[in-house]
Amino acid sequence: MNLQFSNNLSYFQTGIFNVLNDKKSKLIANGKKVYNLSVGTPDFKPDKHVIDALINSASNPDNWKYSLCDLPELTESVCTYYKNRFNVDLSSNEVMSLYGSQEGLAHIGLSLCNKGDIVLVPNPGYPIFEIGPYLSGAEIIHYPLLSENNYLPDLKNIDEDILYKTKFMVVSYPLNPVCAIAPPDFYDELIKFAKKYNIIIIHDNAYSDIIYDDNIGGSFLSHKGAKEVGVEFYSLSKSFNITGARVSFVLGNEEIINHFKMLRSQIDYGIFLPIQYAAIAALNGPQDSVKKHCREYEKRRNALCSGLRDIGWDVPDSKGTMFAWAPIPKNYKTSYEFCMDLMEKSGVICTPGSAFGTLGEGYVRFALVLPVDVIRQAIKSIKDCNIIL
């Protein structure tokens, strides 16, 4: 049988994390000590009250049915949380749950785009930012994020012919992978920009609770006019260490959310009820662990970035996210080549910046997912293998 598959698959490459994992397995099989700083999965435990809420709910057989929609208690919890956390007023019609922000970003373009519509996505940026619009039939145009501009988009220098044809723009701060944050006045400028060109803003706010140096993680929706022009994705994955539960929310413009709800009603039957109850517990419960883990990430950031600088690798301090973004040594041509060599020689695994777009070439991303003492061991291993010249 001659099987034929979608041409869309030609857009995808073999996942870099699969490549790194295969290499890691071979090194371990050969007795090599490895330090996996590639995948951004928190190593902290969820709070007990969150786990208990899921277990107690799962023990009720009635909670194993289709949920079909969000529990009113969940929607109310999100609205209360956003008011307390970001001073943002939301109504129940401005909130919808998702199976993680990745799922939401993959699908929202299907409710917004017609074939050929232009979507602006960051370069470097997280891959789903462009994969979702691509699957919607949109034309992807990248806006550059450069270190000399603090990794902020230069809104004034995007071609107006493009802007008047753009359907939506994806923005995210603190930004994975480049670990940059945006000042509050950037969002005011962004909202004016969106109104001028009639562009919907999709803001991914996954890392607002992991931000350093006494900076405050905010919300796009806290700025005047934000709900007129767009929506925000807020994830519980990293803030509450429940990545596997796959629960996040899209919030903001009611019309956008209503159309998105209509689409998603055709492709799923709602978030599993025990996970909804776990999310309620996370949102309503004590937030001490969120701040505690942020402080621990900052200690890891300090240990990694300053430690690498001490051995001659000029790595800037991450401003936010659970990652660090580092230029590769000048004697290497590509980030992939450097990552493979670093892994082979030191056992330290990081992600090549090329996985995040053409402007990610020349950089690597480290995930802050190991304790400080282990990070120091990893740095010693890098130093001892003499890869940094």
Side-chain angles (χ1 to χ4, degrees), residues 364-381:
V364 293
R365 190 196 72 174
F366 290 97
L368 304 173
V369 292
L370 295 176
V372 166
D373 60 331
V374 181
I375 288 175
R376 288 174 177 155
Q377 293 172 28
I379 293 170
K380 183 178 186 303
S381 185

Side-chain angles (χ1 to χ4, degrees), residues 27-57:
L27 290 175
I28 292 174
N30 290 329
K32 181 78 173 179
K33 170 72 173 177
V34 301
Y35 305 89
N36 192 355
L37 298 171
S38 62
V39 182
T41 299
D43 58 317
F44 303 121
K45 307 296 184 187
D47 284 342
K48 184 176 184 299
H49 64 273
V50 177
I51 297 173
D52 289 345
L54 188 146
I55 292 172
N56 293 336
S57 175

Side-chain angles (χ1 to χ4, degrees), residues 170-222:
V170 181
V171 179
S172 178
Y173 292 97
L175 178 59
N176 171 22
V178 301
C179 311
I181 60 176
D185 58 359
F186 164 75
Y187 292 104
D188 297 323
E189 180 186 359
L190 180 66
I191 291 165
K192 291 179 183 177
F193 167 86
K195 288 181 177 180
K196 178 178 179 180
Y197 295 106
N198 196 37
I199 295 173
I200 295 168
I201 300 299
I202 307 295
H203 184 249
D204 182 27
N205 199 24
Y207 295 100
S208 60
D209 294 317
I210 306 176
I211 195 164
Y212 310 129
D213 305 317
D214 297 322
N215 288 298
I216 297 173
S219 166
F220 162 68
L221 297 179
S222 68

Side-chain angles (χ1 to χ4, degrees), residues 69-374:
C69 61
D70 295 339
L71 292 166
E73 305 98 296
L74 177 61
T75 304
E76 181 181 351
S77 296
V78 174
C79 293
T80 300
Y81 179 85
Y82 247 67
K83 179 63 177 177
N84 293 336
R85 173 69 177 82
F86 299 114
N87 196 29
V88 171
D89 292 307
L90 293 166
S91 70
S92 60
N93 293 329
E94 296 172 329
V95 177
M96 179 177 66
S97 69
L98 303 162
Y99 285 103
S101 294
Q102 179 111 343
E103 179 264 313
L105 288 161
H107 289 143
I108 193 168
L110 295 171
S111 67
L112 294 174
C113 290
N114 294 309
K115 187 174 181 180
D117 281 344
I118 290 175
V119 174
L120 300 177
V121 299
N123 182 12
Y126 195 60
I128 197 64
F129 292 163
E130 68 174 88
I131 291 172
Y134 172 80
L135 293 174
S136 305
E139 179 185 353
I140 310 301
I141 292 184
H142 298 91
Y143 61 87
L145 298 178
L146 306 174
S147 59
E148 54 264 35
N149 198 39
N150 298 314
Y151 292 108
L152 293 171
D154 187 353
L155 300 177
K156 293 182 175 64
N157 282 319
I158 302 176
D159 190 330
E160 280 201 330
D161 288 340
I162 291 173
L163 295 177
Y164 282 117
K165 298 175 184 176
T166 296
K167 179 60 69 73
F168 71 88
M169 178 180 186
V170 181
V171 179
S172 178
Y173 292 97
L175 178 59
N176 171 22
V178 301
C179 311
I181 60 176
D185 58 359
F186 164 75
Y187 292 104
D188 297 323
E189 180 186 359
L190 180 66
I191 291 165
K192 291 179 183 177
F193 167 86
K195 288 181 177 180
K196 178 178 179 180
Y197 295 106
N198 196 37
I199 295 173
I200 295 168
I201 300 299
I202 307 295
H203 184 249
D204 182 27
N205 199 24
Y207 295 100
S208 60
D209 294 317
I210 306 176
I211 195 164
Y212 310 129
D213 305 317
D214 297 322
N215 288 298
I216 297 173
S219 166
F220 162 68
L221 297 179
S222 68
H223 294 262
K224 184 178 179 180
K227 284 197 284 188
E228 297 173 40
V229 301
V231 293
E232 178 165 275
F233 286 83
Y234 183 77
S235 174
L236 303 191
S237 291
K238 308 300 169 53
S239 298
F240 297 96
N241 309 304
I242 55 172
T243 52
R246 308 311 303 140
V247 59
S248 67
F249 304 91
V250 59
L251 319 105
N253 186 278
E254 182 177 345
E255 190 175 4
I256 294 173
I257 289 174
N258 282 340
H259 281 78
F260 198 12
K261 281 182 180 179
M262 185 187 307
L263 170 74
R264 293 185 77 255
S265 71
Q266 304 303 307
I267 58 178
D268 77 63
Y269 291 101
I271 301 291
F272 185 42
L273 285 169
I275 290 178
Q276 291 198 42
Y277 283 111
I280 292 168
L283 292 164
N284 291 344
Q287 305 294 306
D288 298 348
S289 65
V290 178
K291 296 177 182 177
K292 173 187 174 183
H293 293 147
C294 179
R295 290 192 295 270
E296 180 61 27
Y297 278 127
E298 186 164 4
K299 291 177 183 176
R300 296 176 179 189
R301 187 271 321 247
N302 292 342
L304 180 71
C305 296
S306 64
L308 291 175
R309 289 196 295 270
D310 287 344
I311 65 170
W313 189 354
D314 189 15
V315 177
D317 285 339
S318 169
K319 300 297 183 183
T321 76
M322 57 188 295
F323 304 103
W325 187 241
I328 64 174
K330 296 186 185 303
N331 53 313
Y332 283 88
K333 293 182 179 180
T334 71
S335 56
Y336 181 86
E337 174 196 6
F338 173 70
C339 280
M340 293 300 110
D341 209 22
L342 179 69
M343 195 187 316
E344 186 73 37
K345 292 179 178 179
S346 73
V348 175
I349 310 174
C350 57
T351 307
S354 55
F356 304 101
T358 57
L359 294 180
E361 185 54 87
Y363 294 83
V364 293
R365 190 196 72 174
F366 290 97
L368 304 173
V369 292
L370 295 176
V372 166
D373 60 331
V374 181

